[in-house]
Structure formats: C-alpha cells, structure tokens
Amino acid sequence: KNEIEESIYFLVSGVVESGKIRRGSNIVIEFYFPGDFFCDVYSLITRKKSDGYLSCITDCIIEVVPYKAILQAYDNNSLIANQFVRHLAEVNLVKRILKEGNMHKPAKERYMTLVAKRPEIIRSIPISKIANYLGIEPNSLSRIRKSVK
C-alpha cells in the first residue's frame, strides 16, 4: 500500500488476496490461485502509488518478474513483453468489470454466480473473506448458503 508497483507476480502455489483499505477496513477485490499472474496493474503502468494491498492467505510460492526486466524487454521491442502486459491489464479489467456489474444484483444471485463461475473460491477461501468479496456480512452469507443447500 502507498508504494509504486515494482513487479509482476506469478503464483506457483497458495492463494493471494488483493484489496483496498477503506475507512479502516479491508475490501477484498480479487483472489489469485496457482497459475495466475497478478500485481497492481494501474500502479505498474502509470507509475503512481498503489492504494491497494496484496496478502497471502495461505502459504505461497511466488515467482517475481521485476519491473526493470519488463522495461528491458520493451526496450528490445519484445512483442512477448508487450502482449504479456497488455493481456495482464485486459484480464484484470475484465475481472473488475464483471465483479462491479454483479454488485447491483441481489446477494444470493451474486453468491450463486460465484459458485458457478469460481468454485475454487468457495472451496478454499474462509467465509468471512468470501462475504467481504461479495460485499455482504458473514452472517448474511451463512443464511444464503443454508438456503441453497
């Protein structure tokens, strides 16, 4: 938080949470699983300080690609580097748009969409973090889960 992103990360194993801190509380934005690349794309590209955080919520093994290495690849006109950063930005944008588009839907519908589209979250993330991700209280999520069993 409050630093310029200096790397892109590749998650080999474990689970990582990204989010923002608002009014003293963590707001979960996304979860990352093995095989995912992640970083604060906005900060990485704009070179502005990040207002987000990344946190390992299980033991993790993470490979790090420093920003300087990405710049060197760009300097060499590397099509792969260009396409990689573009893909990373597009994937993060699509995830954010889909999540924000769902936030106006009823909580039960958001949960059911999550179960259908991201079952790995349901299987491996604590209920309190899932509730935060869905924008609801943990007790509301418990009631929803009971009603759909």
Side-chain angles (χ1 to χ4, degrees), residues 60-73:
C60 293
I61 298 174
I62 298 171
E63 298 287 335
V64 179
V65 180
Y67 180 69
K68 289 179 182 179
I70 297 164
L71 286 180
Q72 287 175 338

Side-chain angles (χ1 to χ4, degrees), residues 11 15-20 26-32 38 53-58 60 125-126 129 132:
L11 188 57
V15 180
V16 171
E17 165 189 325
S18 71
K20 298 189 183 292
N26 291 359
I27 307 298
V28 177
I29 303 295
E30 189 57 76
F31 297 107
Y32 299 98
F38 60 95
Y53 69 88
L54 295 169
S55 176
C56 294
I57 57 175
T58 65
C60 293
I125 307 293
K129 291 192 179 289
N132 185 308

Side-chain angles (χ1 to χ4, degrees), residues 84-98:
F84 174 73
V85 173
R86 184 177 179 173
H87 173 74
L88 184 65
E90 288 172 355
V91 165
N92 278 283
L93 179 62
V94 167
K95 283 182 179 180
R96 178 175 247 154
I97 288 169
L98 290 174

Side-chain angles (χ1 to χ4, degrees), residues 33-45:
F33 295 89
D36 286 343
F37 286 94
F38 60 95
C39 70
D40 185 324
V41 176
Y42 179 78
S43 176
L44 184 79
I45 293 171

Side-chain angles (χ1 to χ4, degrees), residues 126-144:
I127 286 186
S128 61
K129 291 192 179 289
I130 295 171
N132 185 308
Y133 178 76
L134 292 170
I136 60 177
E137 294 296 320
N139 58 354
S140 297
L141 179 56
S142 292
R143 283 193 298 274
I144 290 168

Side-chain angles (χ1 to χ4, degrees), residues 67-85:
Y67 180 69
K68 289 179 182 179
I70 297 164
L71 286 180
Q72 287 175 338
Y74 270 140
D75 288 344
N76 293 329
N77 293 317
S78 169
L79 180 62
I80 292 171
N82 187 318
Q83 292 297 319
F84 174 73
V85 173

